[in-house]
C-alpha cells in the first residue's frame, strides 16, 4: 500500500541527510508534474501522485564524493568514473536509508533501447524548481531565424556550475496535496540576457562562460575544472598524474571515460 504524503517529508529529509554531505542536492516532484509537460513518448509509467526526487551534483561533489571515491576505487564496470561515483553514492544512500522501499533509479546518461533518454533531465530539474530551463521559446522575437538553439538550466545559486545526475522514483510513496509544485527561480530575466545565455551555451559552450551568466555562490574548484576541461580520452592519464589511480584499477575502465560536467 502506498505511503501517505506525511511520509514524503521523511523520505526527502532522509535522502538529503545522506546526499548533502557528499555534494548532491535533492528536489522532490510528483510524476504527474513531469508527465504533464513532456510528450507522451517520454511519459514515466507511474501514477501521477508517485513521489520522485531529482538529484543534482553541486560543485562540492568533486572534493566530497569523487576524490574519496577514487581513493577507495577497486575497479569494475565500464562507465566513466563520475558516473560510477554518482551511482555508488546514490545506491549506497538508498540502501542505507530505505532498505524496504521499492525505488527505480534512472541516471542522466541512461537511454532506452531506442536511444531515448530514460528521463528528460533538464525538464525534471525545472519541474522540481531546482533550476530554470531556458529554451528558445523563452526569447521573444528570436534573432536566430530557423536555427535551432538548445536550452540550458540555470541554478539560482550555482548558475551553470552543477549537473543533473539522476531521478529516483519511490514506487510506494504517494505524495498528497501537501507537496505543491514550486516555481523555478527566473534568474535570467531580460531578453538580452537570455539571448546571451543561449548563444554562449550553443556557440561557445567549451569556454564555460554560460555558467557565469548570473552571479554565483560557488564554482567548480580549479582541479575540478582541469578534470572536466580535459578531453575524455586523456582523463585517466590526468587522474594517474594526480595519484588517484593505479595500473590495476584504471585497466578495469578500459578507457571509456565519457564527457561529463
Amino acid at each position: 500500500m502506498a505511503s501517505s504524503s506525511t511520509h514524503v517529508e521523511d523520505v526527502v529529509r532522509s535522502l538529503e541527510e545522506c546526499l548533502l554531505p557528499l555534494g548532491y542536492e535533492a528536489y522532490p516532484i510528483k510524476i504527474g508534474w513531469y508527465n504533464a509537460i513532456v510528450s507522451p513518448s517520454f511519459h514515466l509509467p507511474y501514477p501521477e501522485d508517485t513521489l520522485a526526487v531529482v538529484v543534482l551534483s553541486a560543485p562540492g561533489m568533486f572534493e566530497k564524493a569523487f576524490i574519496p571515491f577514487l581513493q577507495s576505487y577497486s575497479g569494475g564496470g565500464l562507465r566513466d568514473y563520475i558516473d560510477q561515483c554518482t551511482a555508488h553514492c546514490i545506491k549506497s544512500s538508498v540502501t542505507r536509508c530505505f532498505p524496504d522501499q521499492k525505488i527505480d533509479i534512472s541516471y542522466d546518461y541512461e537511454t532506452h533501447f531506442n536511444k531515448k533518454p530514460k528521463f528528460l533531465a533538464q525538464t525534471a530539474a525545472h519541474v522540481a524548481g531546482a533550476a530554470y530551463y531556458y529554451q528558445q521559446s523563452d526569447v521573444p522575437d528570436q534573432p536566430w531565424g530557423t536555427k535551432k538553439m538548445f536550452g540550458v538550466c540555470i541554478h539560482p545559486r550555482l548558475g551553470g556550475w552543477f549537473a543533473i545526475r539522476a531521478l529516483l522514483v519511490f514506487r510506494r510513496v504517494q505524495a498528497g496535496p501537501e507537496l505543491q509544485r514550486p516555481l523555478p527561480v527566473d534568474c535570467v530575466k531580460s531578453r538580452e540576457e537570455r539571448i546571451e545565455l543561449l548563444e554562449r551555451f550553443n556557440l561557445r559552450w567549451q569556454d564555460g562562460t554560460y555558467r557565469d551568466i548570473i552571479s554565483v555562490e560557488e564554482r567548480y574548484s580549479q582541479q575540478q575544472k582541469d578534470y572536466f576541461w580535459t578531453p575524455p580520452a586523456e582523463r585517466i592519464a590526468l587522474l594517474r598524474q594526480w595519484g588517484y589511480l593505479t595500473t590495476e584499477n584504471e585497466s578495469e575502465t578500459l578507457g571509456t571515460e565519457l564527457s561529463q560536467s
Side-chain angles (χ1 to χ4, degrees), residues 169-184:
V169 180
F170 290 76
R171 295 172 60 180
R172 291 179 174 174
V173 180
Q174 298 295 300
E178 291 82 1
L179 182 61
Q180 295 291 309
R181 178 178 169 181
L183 294 176

Side-chain angles (χ1 to χ4, degrees), residues 31-44 118-124 127 133 181:
I31 290 295
W33 300 348
Y34 173 89
N35 284 350
I37 63 172
V38 300
S39 63
S41 63
F42 286 105
H43 281 184
L44 299 175
K118 288 198 171 180
F119 74 105
L120 298 178
Q122 296 201 101
T123 299
V127 166
Y133 185 22
R181 178 178 169 181

